[in-house]
Amino acid sequence: MRIYNMLPLKIGDLEVPIPVIQAGMGVQVAKADLAGAVARAGGIGCISSVGLGSIEASQNDYISDSNNNLITQIRKARLLAPNGILSVNVMVALSNYDNVVQTCIDENVDIIISGAGLPIPLPGLTKGSNIKLIPVISSGRAMKVVLKSWHRRYQVIPDAVIIEGPLCGGHMGFTTEQVLHPELVPIQGILRDVKNELAPFEAEYGRKIPILGAENIADANDVIEKLNMGFDGVHVGTRFICTEEAGIDIKSKEVYVKAKAEDVVVLRSPLGLPVKVLKTTLVEKLFNGEKIPFGCPFQCLRACEASKAKFCIADALLKTLFGEVDEGLFMVGSGVGRVNDIIPAEEFFEPLKKLV
Ligand SMILES: Cc1cc2nc3c(=O)[nH]c(=O)nc-3n(C[C@H](O)[C@H](O)[C@H](O)COP(=O)(O)O)c2cc1C
């Protein structure tokens, strides 16, 4: 079955014509230029709040440096898309989580998207504001925990939910075994479980919670496939790395463009979670047991086991930002083999606009 009339995505009183949220991607992949372009094209733009402060330049003041840079990005994105919908991705693992959330409220961001851990305290931090909250989860069980605790502690439920499937990029809420064998945890099954968990809460609160699917979306046909599966929209990462507006150096974008599906491997991140990456020079070294020396003047990720880690993930992602491809870490989704060009972000939306 093909969807000929795509429905707009409604999140509370917010609405966009194209049901696509561009994923928050750190470090500095998803900043104002990308978020603004996506919001202008009719989707929801997202700024990633991780790694915006310079650890080296501001060892004593990483938190205010991060906040100031986030404010700059939010204001720039608003200028680029004055009528668009803007979100900020705030990883639960961030040491400066509370500060970033407060900055989003102060700057009138429309939506906070929060994953890489369960965002249990989030509604307490945003109480009294109208900011919409979207947790990112990977199982019905995680959905249940979020729903029960938000309902019990704060008498709220999420405004939408993002399900990250086993083929998606970023830190993953799956075991390494599941990441290596995604057929064990198909996203359709997770969708069914999440819908079951949501149903009693939707009935009690009298509103439907939109569910977005995240994994392996390279083009408009993949979007349609997810909508046909029963998702209300999609959350797209890897495709938007290879856009003109993504924040990383062109040399790093070219690494992604050239990558094939078989170049994707699974690494244990210093956060203790499996993360999909391209098999590059740095990753070969890590697989060979080498330790990449690093200093840690500020523990930017709360759960980072810096003393045990073989490398600093922030350092490695900054290398990717600056195009130092041999030292860089290239986090990626399984669909990278089908992303073969660098496009203006708007081009992704063109075929979808015809279905509105
Ligand atoms: C390079 C990269 C960086 C990412 N950074 C973040 C992040 O900072 N916070 C987060 O919650 N998820 C992050 N993710 C996960 C994405 O938000 C998204 O859910 C995922 O990439 C979707 O799968 P796809 O890449 O197959 O489209 C990242 C993913 C990639 C590929």
Side-chain angles (χ1 to χ4, degrees):
M1 188 184 80
R2 211 175 136 75
I3 291 188
Y4 289 100
N5 286 312
M6 213 170 43
L7 297 174
L9 175 62
K10 294 183 185 172
I11 299 179
D13 53 359
L14 306 174
E15 182 172 325
V16 285
I18 316 278
V20 172
I21 302 185
Q22 161 251 319
M25 289 177 287
V27 166
Q28 304 195 30
V29 180
K31 292 200 291 183
D33 287 340
L34 181 55
V38 167
R40 229 176 24 236
I44 296 182
C46 184
I47 295 168
S48 169
S49 60
V50 64
L52 288 178
S54 161
I55 294 180
E56 297 304 324
S58 59
Q59 290 188 10
N60 299 322
D61 216 356
Y62 176 80
I63 289 180
S64 67
D65 198 31
S66 277
N67 272 340
N68 291 337
N69 288 333
L70 179 58
I71 291 168
T72 304
Q73 293 303 319
I74 293 169
R75 292 182 184 176
K76 187 175 172 195
R78 287 290 192 207
L79 285 176
L80 289 169
N83 302 317
I85 305 292
L86 181 65
S87 62
V88 171
N89 179 291
V90 194
M91 285 171 64
V92 173
L94 290 187
S95 302
N96 54 335
Y97 188 82
D98 296 10
N99 278 275
V100 172
V101 168
Q102 189 56 49
T103 301
C104 293
I105 296 168
D106 295 344
E107 291 295 313
N108 290 316
V109 166
D110 300 301
I111 302 170
I112 289 177
I113 297 174
S114 193
L118 296 183
I120 302 300
L122 183 57
L125 301 172
T126 59
K127 204 170 174 186
S129 83
N130 191 31
I131 201 161
K132 306 293 182 290
L133 305 181
I134 306 186
V136 184
I137 45 120
S138 290
S139 67
R141 200 160 55 98
M143 183 78 270
K144 185 178 193 166
V145 173
V146 172
L147 285 167
K148 281 198 158 178
S149 51
W150 282 18
H151 171 67
R152 196 182 65 238
R153 292 189 198 188
Y154 310 111
Q155 297 76 55
V156 298
I157 54 172
D159 296 291
V161 170
I162 292 170
I163 300 180
E164 284 189 337
L167 300 173
C168 83
H171 283 92
M172 314 208 40
F174 297 98
T175 63
T176 303
E177 168 81 1
Q178 290 169 328
V179 177
L180 291 173
H181 299 283
E183 68 281 3
L184 295 175
V185 272
I187 198 166
Q188 295 95 321
I190 307 173
L191 175 63
R192 185 197 54 225
D193 294 348
V194 167
K195 280 188 171 173
N196 285 341
E197 296 299 339
L198 279 171
F201 290 90
E202 289 178 321
E204 180 164 351
Y205 283 77
R207 62 190 161 90
K208 187 183 171 321
I209 310 300
I211 308 176
L212 297 112
E215 65 170 23
N216 201 15
I217 291 166
D219 59 26
N221 283 330
D222 297 333
V223 177
I224 293 164
E225 189 190 322
K226 287 281 183 291
L227 297 178
N228 281 336
M229 252 182 219
F231 285 101
D232 302 290
V234 295
H235 183 243
V236 184
T238 301
R239 169 67 272 190
F240 286 120
I241 303 175
C242 298
T243 56
E244 289 169 4
E245 295 87 352
I248 56 173
D249 189 275
I250 181 76
K251 290 198 278 301
S252 295
K253 289 180 193 174
E254 281 163 0
V255 171
Y256 281 107
V257 166
K258 285 184 195 142
K260 303 196 169 37
E262 55 269 27
D263 299 327
V264 180
V265 292
V266 182
L267 188 73
R268 189 179 157 86
S269 125
L271 284 182
L273 296 171
V275 61
K276 262 184 235 144
V277 294
L278 293 178
K279 196 170 184 191
T280 51
T281 312
L282 171 75
V283 174
E284 303 258 16
K285 283 185 187 169
L286 293 169
F287 281 175
N288 286 334
E290 266 187 59
K291 183 170 166 64
I292 315 297
F294 63 90
C296 184
F298 179 86
Q299 178 153 355
C300 56
L301 299 173
R302 220 182 333 214
C304 180
E305 299 172 318
S307 59
K308 291 190 213 151
K310 289 210 167 68
F311 71 108
C312 169
I313 192 164
D315 271 358
L317 292 173
L318 283 170
K319 296 280 192 318
T320 305
L321 171 66
F322 297 122
E324 296 169 36
V325 297
D326 285 343
E327 287 88 37
L329 186 72
F330 293 76
M331 285 167 51
V332 73
S334 303
V336 68
R338 296 186 298 119
V339 175
N340 299 315
D341 51 3
I342 297 171
I343 56 171
E346 197 190 353
E347 204 174 300
F348 179 86
F349 290 87
E350 293 305 335
L352 294 169
K353 282 182 188 167
K354 296 188 185 128
L355 302 174
V356 170

